[in-house]
Amino acid sequence: MIFKSKKKNKGFTSKEITANDFLNVKDIKGNILYSKDNLIFAYIKLSPINIDLLSEQEKIKLNRLLAAELSNERKPFKLFIISRPVDISRLVYELSDAYSVSTDPVQKDLLKNAIITMNNFAMDGEVSERLFYIIIWEKFIDGSERELLKRAAEFAGKFENAGIRTEIADQGMIIKLCNLFANPAYAHLEDSSSYASIPILNGAR
């Protein structure tokens, strides 16, 4: 997207605007996002679990564990859930490779149907995964960064104690999360540079 005004004679001037201006992002360093309204944020990624695979007793146990772990949390936090397209090209490649070496007619037919199905999923954009994050923040003052990271580690530990794996987002993960939030069609960037995806907009002000 490029916004550029040519009506300079009417008070409009062309100005380069980063996507940060639209996301309230001032800077991202290490594990911390700095906002323009003087707050700092940390993000804790939660590994999803399929509760449909748990028995009723296991669900009750998990609920009680999480309630106990979070019962002494007095500061606000947010649960952020967002969907991301899944790259299934490797799966399609593996199926195609298996199809090319198979000599069993029945197996080849099954593999062919699987490849067609996967390709249709890829074309329709129906394959996605849900990402879960806990967002915590503090007012940006001297020493608040250390306090925020300490709280993030403690918060992650609460979920680890309940059997849910966690990861405190680093700089690259936060940048990718901002891209994902701003652009739902944002594709996988697991093995590429996150900086290449930060857009610069030419806007009028």
Side-chain angles (χ1 to χ4, degrees):
M1 295 176 61
I2 297 178
F3 301 95
K4 199 167 185 178
S5 172
K6 297 181 180 179
K7 300 179 181 179
K8 295 185 179 181
N9 59 329
K10 293 187 178 181
F12 290 89
T13 58
S14 178
K15 181 179 179 182
E16 188 179 71
I17 305 172
T18 67
N20 294 357
D21 292 322
F22 297 93
L23 295 176
N24 192 33
V25 176
K26 182 178 181 181
D27 199 2
I28 300 173
K29 293 181 181 178
N31 304 97
I32 296 177
L33 181 146
Y34 298 79
S35 72
K36 292 189 293 184
D37 51 0
N38 209 35
L39 295 173
I40 54 175
F41 295 81
Y43 302 82
I44 304 161
K45 184 178 181 181
L46 307 178
S47 294
I49 57 174
N50 190 345
I51 61 174
D52 291 333
L53 300 178
L54 302 178
S55 66
E56 287 303 317
Q57 291 75 16
E58 289 172 327
K59 291 178 184 178
I60 293 172
K61 180 180 178 181
L62 178 61
N63 285 334
R64 288 177 176 173
L65 276 173
L66 286 174
E69 290 292 337
L70 298 174
S71 61
N72 62 348
E73 189 63 39
R74 295 292 180 261
K75 293 184 178 181
F77 64 91
K78 290 183 179 180
L79 175 63
F80 180 69
I81 306 172
I82 192 167
S83 297
R84 176 178 71 170
V86 176
D87 183 3
I88 60 173
S89 58
R90 180 173 297 181
L91 174 59
V92 174
Y93 174 81
E94 291 176 353
L95 289 172
S96 299
D97 189 52
Y99 177 83
S100 64
V101 299
S102 176
T103 57
D104 187 330
V106 176
Q107 185 183 50
K108 287 180 74 73
D109 190 50
L110 291 173
L111 289 169
K112 181 180 178 180
N113 290 333
I115 292 170
I116 293 173
T117 300
M118 290 297 104
N119 282 327
N120 288 336
F121 281 149
M123 292 293 292
D124 296 337
E126 294 181 2
V127 183
S128 62
E129 63 178 338
R130 303 194 79 189
L131 304 179
F132 299 82
Y133 289 88
I134 293 291
I135 306 175
I136 58 175
W137 60 92
E138 298 282 351
K139 187 78 172 177
F140 180 38
I141 58 176
D142 186 38
S144 59
E145 293 154 308
R146 183 169 57 253
E147 182 64 28
L148 181 66
L149 292 179
K150 178 183 177 183
R151 185 186 171 203
E154 292 174 349
F155 217 114
K158 296 176 186 291
F159 284 90
E160 294 280 354
N161 292 338
I164 299 175
R165 292 186 292 110
T166 63
E167 180 182 359
I168 298 176
D170 59 12
Q171 184 177 18
M173 188 183 295
I174 295 174
I175 291 173
K176 292 172 184 177
L177 181 59
C178 288
N179 274 284
L180 203 61
F181 174 79
N183 180 10
Y186 178 63
H188 253 9
L189 275 178
E190 295 298 333
D191 301 318
S192 60
S193 171
S194 55
Y195 295 95
S197 64
I198 301 178
I200 300 294
L201 307 179
N202 289 325
R205 280 190 177 179

